[in-house]
Amino acid sequence: MEQIFETAEIHHLDNTGFVPDGDCPGAVSDVLGMDLATEAQREIASWKGYAPTPLHVLSSTARSAGVRSLYYKDEGARFAPGSFKALGGAYAVQQLLRQEIGRLSGEKLSLADIRAGRFPELAQGITVATATDGNHGRSVAWGAGRFGCRCVIYVHREVSEGRCRAMADYGAEVIRVDGNYDDSVRRAQSDAT
């Protein structure tokens, strides 16, 4: 595996927003706080088929790059879509279904309820939609199939047929929009509304 990395480029960027030994700003922690990240990690780890991804040590590449150590996290076998991006969109679908099925059923539902497939008839009547260049839409489509709802993905004219097929293979209806990514976002919003 290390042979593919013949040259190395070293970059260092300072994170000027880093707050040492402090909490992140409220506006950020409301959507990306540690409590929410821990909840998401705990839930995703409970999904059938979950396994930690392997971390490969790239010793000779690290030496040639002049760094102490270098690791490669191999996401290729993570769930069906095989990418870390497969997690966020699918988790968002699960959260949205929890909220909407809870509203429709009048019950306070947990993520475990959605994972277990409670209220399949309600889930089947819900459609999630998003615009994408490919990876995010694939995650949403996979999550919709996993949790039993309908999915519509909007793509712009430059998205490859392969990416469209990958989303359709998970059961999504893929709608190509003439224009760019922003046009597909506007069309997704308009149709969803």
Side-chain angles (χ1 to χ4, degrees):
M1 180 178 301
E2 292 188 39
Q3 288 77 11
I4 33 180
F5 300 99
E6 293 188 18
T7 61
E9 193 171 317
I10 301 171
H11 294 279
H12 178 267
L13 301 172
D14 288 323
N15 180 354
T16 57
F18 176 70
V19 181
D21 300 323
D23 293 327
C24 59
V28 174
S29 65
D30 289 346
V31 293
L32 297 174
M34 283 307 297
D35 290 345
L36 295 173
T38 300
E39 176 187 331
Q41 191 281 329
R42 190 177 302 122
E43 175 58 29
I44 291 167
S46 73
W47 291 356
K48 184 179 178 184
Y50 173 82
T53 56
L55 196 60
H56 303 288
V57 179
L58 304 177
S59 301
S60 65
T61 304
R63 278 191 301 280
S64 64
V67 296
R68 185 178 321 140
S69 55
L70 184 64
Y71 301 90
Y72 170 72
K73 187 173 182 186
D74 183 0
E75 298 274 350
R78 183 186 287 273
F79 296 116
S83 168
F84 72 94
K85 293 181 181 183
L87 305 180
Y91 180 71
V93 168
Q94 186 183 20
Q95 287 280 14
L96 288 168
L97 288 175
R98 181 186 58 79
Q99 292 170 359
E100 186 63 11
I101 292 172
R103 184 186 69 76
L104 293 169
S105 69
E107 293 192 32
K108 183 173 170 72
L109 301 179
S110 68
L111 293 173
D113 291 323
I114 302 305
R115 186 178 354 104
R118 284 190 66 206
F119 303 100
E121 67 288 346
L122 291 178
Q124 290 169 4
I126 296 170
T127 301
V128 294
T130 192
T132 188
D133 280 325
N135 288 331
H136 170 72
R138 194 163 123 183
S139 173
V140 170
W142 178 71
R146 184 175 187 93
F147 301 117
C149 67
R150 186 170 172 260
C151 181
V152 180
I153 306 290
Y154 294 82
V155 298
H156 57 88
R157 68 175 167 246
E158 299 300 321
V159 174
S160 73
E161 284 302 317
R163 287 182 175 215
C164 292
R165 260 191 320 280
M167 292 177 277
D169 286 348
Y170 290 121
E173 175 185 352
V174 180
I175 297 175
R176 190 172 293 278
V177 175
D178 189 34
N180 61 23
Y181 176 76
D182 292 335
D183 295 316
S184 65
V185 169
R186 282 189 283 276
R187 171 76 184 276
Q189 177 65 49
S190 173
D191 288 0
T193 300

